[in-house]
């Protein structure tokens, strides 16, 4: 989704802004732009499509200036073209914006009545003209304060001014924004990752705050324009590798990294010496919690759905699951004894953050399961369980999903054992099995060639279905989501037992249907449902686990067997071939696997 960079330096900044924008490409976007100040003029270059296009334009139209802002845009208001790309500028002011201004239509009317002329279809342009208008009577701080008070909605802003050649303004409400500190230069970024190549010294703005960034110092203000002091955090300098290595795509690499994700998670939380799980500093006593509500979006929501089965199986807690965008607007009954768990790879998803914020406002127990530990969701939760899977670049979430479900499973085991819902022997046995999971995932990753051939049939089909029961139902949803987001094939995930209640009508001759039927408690029931779709002409791809007993059906089209494991762990293994199926379908179609159309890695608007 949209990303912001700002640099105030004494050296030319355009090429550094371009390389930082490239770091933000993983968020998903459709146009890019840059504005710098030189010779008392604002210069602006914008391009539709990739940052590479912008870079090529800069080869022709050289950009000078030691102070500048850059942006990658994911269209909300107005087409994804170069006119609507950011920055948006008046004669005096240039603005980059993440978020949505909800009262832009009203503000635009007012500004037009004052003689302002608009060039784009965006909501952002009203900010430019409001600041320009307010600057007629106010100084910088007051004009920013006044402008921010007029805006409804969410924003992270980077602003430069023709008549202020030594400063950049940053402001935040709802969308994340960070300030970075370098030697004789300072930065603004929509996440610390984009700034990482330049600095590890970061300050995060809180909602309502704004800042003035000069080369040698930064001043922070609250929403009333009063100066405030903020902490500088030193982020870890640990250098992660963000290159694709020998892989064609980040997604392929991230799928293969999953055994390491599992190993890291297990090493972090499992205490092998004492045969226990370490969750340090958990702030609540177990008798203070009687229910759990799990909240997320997309793949993270599927993690929550799966975790419900584990929490119900391993603990006596009541468990609810919610989609963040629904939760945040419902009339919720907040309960003191509920633990609210927010699951998010990025930790910046707007709806998940809003749901967390709502729980915090009601003084609830909030816990985040996140990958990005510097993220807003991690910072604002009362307790954080990091998933430690390293940066995930592919828009389609793969290793983060396995990381999330691992941590949720570990938490379910720990709470089950603390509450004495889970007998010590069973806990020990499950812990022992868990340690074998990375190896089993490694082996499951080897089922490659067959999936490549199978993906041809999916590519030729009008649509497909993914069916499962119990633990396999959320995995069916996840498999369908992966296929649709990468290969743009219509795919439905369904509880196998629901087919007769409507969706069976969709089955027609030759339709590919993935049936997830591991040898668990639901196996026989799922196999019956499988026969029902076969009888109606479906081409069934059965995904199960290796077993001595053959599945009896002559009419199965294809079969993939994952490694065998304790029932709780099968969802981890079943996920892998489904990720590969989606990957190979998209590969054969020649689609942009790491950046599927219309999607963004970090969904920072609701
Ligand atoms: O960063 P989050 O985990 O909060 O993101 C939530 C969803 O946007 C995300 O999982 C999305 O569904 C993925 N593209 C799915 O692959």
């Amino acid at each position: 989704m949209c990303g912001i960079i700002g640099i105030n330096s004494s050296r030319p900044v355009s090429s550094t802004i371009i390389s930082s924008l490239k770091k933000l490409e993983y968020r998903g976007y459709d146009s890019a732009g840059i504005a710098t100040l030189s010779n008392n003029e604002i210069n602006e270059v914008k391009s539709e499509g990739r940052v590479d296009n912008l870079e090529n334009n800069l080869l022709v139209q050289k950009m000078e200036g030691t102070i500048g802002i850059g942006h990658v845009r994911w269209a909300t208001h107005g087409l994804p073209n170069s006119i609507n790309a950011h920055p948006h500028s008046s004669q005096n002011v240039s603005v980059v914006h993440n978020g949505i201004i909800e009262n832009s239509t009203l503000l635009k009317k007012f500004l037009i009545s004052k003689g302002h002329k608009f060039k784009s279809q965006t909501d952002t342009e009203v900010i430019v003209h409001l600041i320009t208008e307010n600057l007629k009577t106010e100084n910088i701080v007051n004009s920013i304060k006044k402008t921010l008070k007029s805006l409804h909605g969410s924003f992270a802003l980077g602003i430069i001014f023709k008549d202020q050649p030594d400063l950049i303004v940053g402001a935040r409400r709802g969308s994340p924004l960070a300030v970075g500190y370098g030697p004789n230069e300072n930065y603004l970024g929509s996440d610390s990752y984009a700034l990482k190549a330049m600095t590890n010294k970061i300050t995060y703005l809180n909602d309502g705050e704004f800042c003035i960034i000069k080369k040698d110092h930064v001043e922070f203000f609250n929403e009333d324009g009063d100066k405030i002091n903020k902490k500088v955090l030193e982020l870890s300098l640990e250098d992660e590798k963000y290159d694709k290595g020998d892989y064609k795509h980040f997604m392929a690499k991230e799928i293969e990294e999953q055994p390491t994700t599992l190993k890291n998670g297990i090493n972090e939380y499992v205490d092998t010496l004492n045969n226990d799980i370490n969750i340090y500093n958990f702030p609540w006593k177990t008798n203070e919690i009687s229910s759990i509500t799990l909240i997320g979006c997309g793949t993270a929501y599927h993690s929550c759905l799966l975790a419900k089965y584990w929490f119900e199986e391993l603990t006596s807690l009541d468990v609810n699951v919610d989609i963040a965008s629904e939760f945040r607007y419902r009339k919720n009954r907040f309960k003191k004894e509920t633990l609210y768990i927010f699951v998010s790879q990025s930790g910046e998803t707007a709806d998940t953050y809003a749901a967390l914020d709502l729980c915090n406002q009601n003084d609830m127990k909030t816990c985040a399961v996140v990958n990005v530990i510097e993220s807003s969701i991690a910072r604002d939760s009362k307790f954080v369980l990091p998933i430690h899977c390293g940066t995930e670049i592919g828009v389609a979430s793969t290793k983060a999903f396995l990381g999330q479900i691992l941590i949720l499973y570990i938490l379910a085991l720990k709470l089950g054992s603390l509450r004495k819902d889970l007998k010590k022997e069973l806990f020990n046995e499950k812990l022992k099995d868990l340690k074998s999971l990375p190896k089993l995932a490694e082996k499951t990753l080897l089922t490659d060639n067959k999936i490549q051939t199978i993906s041809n049939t999916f590519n030729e089909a009008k649509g497909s279905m993914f069916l499962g029961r119990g633990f396999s139902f959320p995995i069916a949803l996840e498999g369908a989501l992966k296929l649709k987001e990468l290969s743009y094939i219509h795919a439905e995930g369904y509880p196998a037992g629901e087919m007769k209640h409507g969706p069976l009508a969709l089955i027609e001759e030759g339709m590919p249907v993935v049936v997830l039927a591991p040898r668990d408690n639901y196996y026989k029931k799922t196999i019956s449902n499988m026969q029902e779709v076969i009888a109606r002409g479906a081409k069934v791809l059965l995904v199960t686990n290796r077993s001595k007993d053959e599945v009896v059906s002559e009419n199965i089209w294809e079969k993939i067997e994952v490694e065998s494991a304790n029932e709780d762990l099968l969802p981890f293994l079943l996920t892998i071939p489904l990720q590969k199926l989606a990957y190979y379908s998209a590969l054969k179609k020649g689609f942009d696997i790491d950046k599927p159309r219309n999607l963004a890695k970090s969904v920072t608007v609701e």
Side-chain angles (χ1 to χ4, degrees):
M1 209 140 265
C2 305
I4 289 176
I5 288 294
I7 305 180
N8 190 350
S9 177
S10 23
R11 62 184 170 103
V13 289
S14 61
S15 64
T16 318
I17 291 181
I18 293 290
S19 40
S20 305
L21 287 179
K22 285 186 176 168
K23 292 235 157 58
L24 289 169
E25 284 192 304
Y26 77 97
R27 295 163 73 107
Y29 68 102
D30 42 53
S31 53
I34 176 170
T36 59
L37 274 183
S38 73
N39 301 326
N40 276 337
E41 287 302 327
I42 294 173
N43 310 298
E44 179 192 280
V45 179
K46 314 198 273 193
S47 313
E48 200 174 317
R50 300 280 173 229
V51 176
D52 283 344
N53 300 351
L54 181 68
E55 195 170 27
N56 289 337
N57 282 346
L58 288 183
L59 293 177
V60 184
Q61 194 177 336
K62 293 260 176 294
M63 256 197 146
E64 295 182 343
T66 58
I67 181 165
I69 48 179
H71 191 260
V72 282
R73 171 179 188 249
W74 186 83
T76 58
H77 288 54
L79 297 171
N81 58 27
S82 59
I83 295 176
N84 290 330
H86 300 206
H88 290 282
S89 310
S90 66
Q91 288 245 308
N92 309 325
V93 178
S94 187
V95 173
V96 286
H97 165 218
N98 292 355
I100 293 179
I101 304 304
E102 287 165 359
N103 57 339
S104 62
T105 315
L106 263 182
L107 290 172
K108 194 168 175 177
K109 252 192 199 161
F110 161 75
L111 289 160
I112 288 174
S113 75
K114 291 266 175 195
H116 292 264
K117 300 242 175 333
F118 285 76
K119 293 177 256 182
S120 75
Q121 302 161 307
T122 64
D123 51 340
T124 304
E125 214 182 336
V126 298
I127 308 173
V128 177
H129 293 285
L130 259 185
I131 301 173
T132 310
E133 185 64 28
N134 289 333
L135 275 172
K136 288 180 187 166
T137 52
E138 309 283 355
N139 64 18
I140 286 279
V141 170
N142 287 339
S143 67
I144 295 298
K145 183 180 93 180
K146 201 168 163 189
T147 302
L148 301 185
K149 293 220 161 156
S150 316
L151 302 176
H152 297 172
S154 63
F155 51 79
L157 301 173
I159 311 164
I160 54 173
F161 305 82
K162 176 174 175 260
D163 299 330
Q164 303 285 341
D166 63 340
L167 61 87
I168 301 178
V169 166
R172 171 191 172 163
R173 189 198 297 154
S175 295
L177 197 62
V179 167
Y181 307 86
N184 303 319
E185 57 183 30
N186 291 316
Y187 322 101
L188 188 67
S190 44
D191 65 31
S192 54
Y193 171 51
L195 303 180
K196 214 164 182 175
M198 301 178 282
T199 184
N200 69 326
K201 293 189 179 59
I202 297 286
T203 298
Y204 293 102
L205 267 78
N206 289 330
D207 275 347
E209 294 174 354
F210 62 98
C211 63
I212 292 184
I213 301 175
K214 300 211 171 167
K215 280 184 217 25
D216 50 358
H217 72 284
V218 182
E219 287 173 344
F220 293 93
F221 301 85
N222 64 18
E223 57 192 346
D224 296 321
D226 303 324
K227 271 198 191 173
I228 50 171
N229 292 321
K230 303 261 313 165
K231 268 196 197 141
V232 180
L233 308 172
E234 290 219 7
L235 306 184
S236 135
L237 274 174
E238 233 173 74
D239 225 10
E240 274 191 76
K241 281 201 167 173
Y242 297 120
D243 60 286
K244 292 196 271 258
D246 292 336
Y247 295 92
K248 263 191 167 164
H249 301 98
F250 279 108
M251 183 187 178
K253 180 170 179 253
E254 287 157 6
I255 289 175
E256 297 297 324
E257 280 170 355
Q258 293 181 112
T260 313
T261 300
L262 297 172
K263 243 181 255 162
N264 289 349
I266 292 168
N267 288 344
E268 178 74 20
Y269 293 99
V270 175
D271 175 352
T272 308
L273 275 183
N274 298 311
N275 228 5
D276 201 355
I277 287 170
N278 286 329
I279 294 186
Y280 297 111
N281 303 326
F282 190 68
W284 306 287
K285 296 198 181 80
T286 39
N287 61 7
E288 289 172 340
I289 299 169
S290 67
S291 69
I292 289 186
T293 294
L294 296 135
I295 299 170
C297 299
T299 289
Y301 169 67
H302 298 157
S303 302
C304 298
L305 278 179
L306 175 58
K308 176 177 166 75
Y309 289 86
W310 285 325
F311 279 110
E312 285 180 347
E313 194 77 24
L314 304 170
T315 76
S316 54
L317 294 161
D318 288 336
V319 191
N320 293 304
V321 178
D322 235 308
I323 293 178
S325 55
E326 291 297 316
F327 177 88
R328 63 182 290 194
Y329 292 115
R330 264 213 328 271
K331 200 168 168 198
N332 292 293
R333 313 278 186 271
F334 289 104
K335 291 198 187 115
K336 284 267 170 253
E337 58 286 1
T338 299
L339 172 65
Y340 291 85
I341 302 180
F342 300 86
V343 182
S344 174
Q345 186 286 128
S346 61
E348 300 295 354
T349 300
D351 284 317
T352 312
Y353 182 80
L356 163 69
D357 196 36
L358 192 64
C359 290
N360 281 339
Q361 281 170 31
N362 284 279
D363 200 22
M364 293 294 108
K365 301 178 173 71
T366 55
C367 167
V369 174
V370 288
N371 191 30
V372 183
I373 46 173
E374 303 95 5
S375 63
S376 307
I377 292 176
R379 279 181 283 125
D380 291 349
S381 294
K382 293 178 184 153
F383 188 65
V384 183
L385 290 166
I387 65 176
H388 295 302
C389 75
T391 304
E392 188 180 65
I393 301 281
V395 164
S397 196
T398 52
K399 62 176 181 174
F401 176 66
L402 253 59
Q404 288 161 0
I405 62 176
L406 175 74
I407 303 313
L408 291 168
Y409 180 62
I410 287 176
L411 183 63
L413 282 176
K414 180 70 180 177
L415 291 182
S417 117
L418 285 175
R419 295 169 58 85
K420 313 249 182 303
D421 295 327
L422 193 59
K423 297 242 158 41
K424 185 67 186 153
E425 305 82 73
L426 193 56
F427 174 81
N428 288 347
E429 206 179 295
K430 287 189 184 284
L431 213 53
K432 186 166 158 253
D433 289 344
L434 182 62
K435 288 183 209 152
S436 65
L437 184 60
K439 269 266 161 303
L440 297 173
E442 242 165 57
K443 285 191 184 160
T444 301
L445 278 164
L446 300 174
T447 33
D448 218 14
N449 292 341
K450 205 172 181 181
I451 304 176
Q452 297 198 39
T453 325
I454 291 171
S455 67
N456 291 333
T457 300
F458 281 82
N459 282 352
E460 285 154 15
K462 272 202 306 213
S464 61
M465 297 205 74
F466 288 66
L467 309 179
R469 278 173 176 260
F471 296 108
S472 302
F473 163 53
I475 305 301
L477 291 178
E478 177 59 8
L481 177 63
K482 289 286 96 89
L483 190 69
K484 60 188 146 198
E485 76 175 323
L486 289 168
S487 62
Y488 319 148
I489 297 169
H490 183 79
E492 285 276 357
Y494 240 87
E498 272 288 294
M499 287 301 282
K500 289 190 200 69
H501 303 288
L504 207 51
L506 291 172
I507 304 292
E508 54 186 45
E509 200 57 44
M511 182 187 200
V513 174
V514 180
V515 176
L516 301 173
R519 320 296 171 120
D520 57 13
N521 274 340
Y522 305 86
Y523 177 65
K524 286 195 179 135
K525 302 279 174 211
T526 314
I527 292 295
S528 304
N529 298 134
M530 177 183 80
Q531 299 299 2
E532 288 158 7
V533 294
I534 290 178
R536 281 151 186 90
K539 267 182 137 173
V540 164
L541 163 62
L542 172 69
V543 185
T544 183
N545 55 314
R546 254 183 253 299
S547 160
K548 278 182 234 119
D549 325 315
E550 269 295 302
V551 182
V552 206
S553 173
E554 294 150 16
N555 301 318
I556 294 167
W557 163 57
E558 280 290 359
K559 184 167 76 176
I560 292 175
E561 288 180 324
V562 303
E563 293 303 303
S564 269
N566 126 19
E567 277 191 15
D568 296 352
L569 304 180
L570 287 171
F572 291 90
L573 305 176
L574 294 174
T575 304
I576 293 171
L578 305 190
Q579 295 169 336
K580 289 198 166 193
L581 177 64
Y583 176 80
Y584 285 121
S585 301
L587 186 68
K588 294 215 176 111
K589 289 186 151 189
F591 292 158
D592 192 344
I593 292 187
D594 288 330
K595 300 184 201 88
R597 72 179 178 204
N598 304 336
L599 298 181
K601 182 68 185 159
S602 181
V603 184
T604 48
V605 292
E606 67 170 298

